[in-house]
Amino acid sequence: MLARLVCFAILLLPAVAPAQTTGEEPKACVPNGAPLGQDYERENVTKEWPQEAQRFRGDVPNVAREGDRLRLAIDGGKVVELQDCPYGDTAYQYLYERFDDPGRFYVVRTPAYEDFSYTLVMKRTGRLFTVYGAPVWASDKLRFLTVACSLLPERSTLTIQAPSGDGLATEAEIPLPCMMESCSARWDFQSWISVSCTPRDEAGKKGAEFVVMRGNDGKWNRFGR
């Protein structure tokens, strides 16, 4: 009976058009007189770049690195160049992770000064999209989720996105209780996501658990405590 009521409630909800974005162009590094990060060269030469080379070995010649510049081949024989900017409190860098077949985008880890994100680089256009968790696809490969759950900087959102034309459409952004708990999410079905959270300071205590379901109108809804 409860399942029928839930499904009926979903059908009654109004349709909501996904927010579509077209991404950004690669940005130029502007040092502005800030000093080079002390550990940048040492850590990259000895650790990060050798490990990265192993990850893109199967993607050569589409992926290459020359010093602080990561080069990614896109359609039409063009190349997108991502340049590290290891200067001061606006520092960031790009580290290749993988090519994502369902989304036709490169996934690039983007650590920054007191921050962390992933940059998705579209193979068709070279446009850049920033997400705050690794993309996890539903089984039908039509959409993916990312989880942004951190104290510094403050982030607490489950985001569901789908490829749309030359960009991405954001279908839903679900708030998470990340100030008190650490949260994760998984696809149980193509239109059903389970979210589980664990209290940060109370080991063994049960945290929030709920599901996010997609109705026939395309809207995602949260159910549970």
Side-chain angles (χ1 to χ4, degrees):
M1 182 65 180
L2 177 60
R4 291 181 181 178
L5 289 174
V6 168
C7 292
F8 181 68
I10 292 173
L11 289 172
L12 290 178
L13 290 169
V16 176
Q20 299 191 28
T21 54
T22 57
E24 301 175 350
E25 295 285 345
K27 54 187 176 183
C29 176
V30 182
N32 287 329
L36 178 69
Q38 294 182 353
D39 299 326
Y40 171 77
E41 186 171 1
R42 176 179 57 82
E43 290 184 358
N44 282 289
V45 170
T46 61
K47 178 184 176 182
E48 296 292 359
W49 290 341
Q51 292 179 359
E52 178 192 59
Q54 294 296 316
R55 292 194 295 272
F56 67 59
R57 181 164 32 176
D59 294 325
V60 174
N62 290 324
V63 183
R65 174 173 293 281
E66 184 175 332
D68 63 353
R69 298 167 191 266
L70 178 64
R71 295 189 171 97
L72 306 172
I74 61 173
D75 293 351
K78 300 178 181 179
V79 173
V80 167
E81 184 174 88
L82 304 179
Q83 182 182 7
D84 294 350
C85 197
Y87 301 97
D89 59 7
T90 59
Y92 58 86
Q93 70 178 114
Y94 298 103
L95 295 166
Y96 181 75
E97 283 291 309
R98 59 186 171 85
F99 181 73
D100 187 288
D101 285 311
R104 290 202 77 236
F105 50 67
Y106 298 101
V107 180
V108 180
R109 185 158 40 99
T110 313
Y113 181 78
E114 295 186 347
D115 202 355
F116 183 85
S117 63
Y118 290 88
T119 301
L120 310 182
V121 183
M122 294 296 175
K123 185 76 161 55
R124 173 175 162 78
T125 63
R127 304 286 289 181
L128 277 56
F129 294 82
T130 299
V131 295
Y132 295 100
V136 180
W137 288 88
S139 58
D140 58 6
K141 307 301 182 185
L142 294 181
R143 56 187 52 83
F144 62 87
L145 67 80
T146 58
V147 174
C149 193
S150 64
L151 294 175
L152 184 66
E154 182 178 331
R155 293 196 177 100
S156 53
T157 308
L158 162 67
T159 303
I160 303 165
Q161 294 178 288
S164 177
D166 288 336
L168 293 176
T170 299
E171 296 186 351
E173 293 183 321
I174 309 297
L176 300 173
C178 293
M179 292 303 96
M180 301 297 294
E181 304 180 24
S182 177
C183 299
S184 61
R186 71 174 188 271
W187 293 96
D188 285 340
F189 304 101
Q190 296 173 3
S191 299
W192 183 305
I193 298 168
S194 291
V195 178
S196 178
C197 302
T198 304
R200 296 182 183 275
D201 299 325
E202 299 182 59
K205 185 177 180 180
K206 191 173 183 179
E209 292 184 351
F210 58 90
V211 298
V212 180
M213 299 170 58
R214 184 173 184 265
N216 291 340
D217 59 3
K219 183 177 180 179
W220 293 87
N221 305 277
R222 170 177 168 165
F223 297 94
R225 63 184 183 85

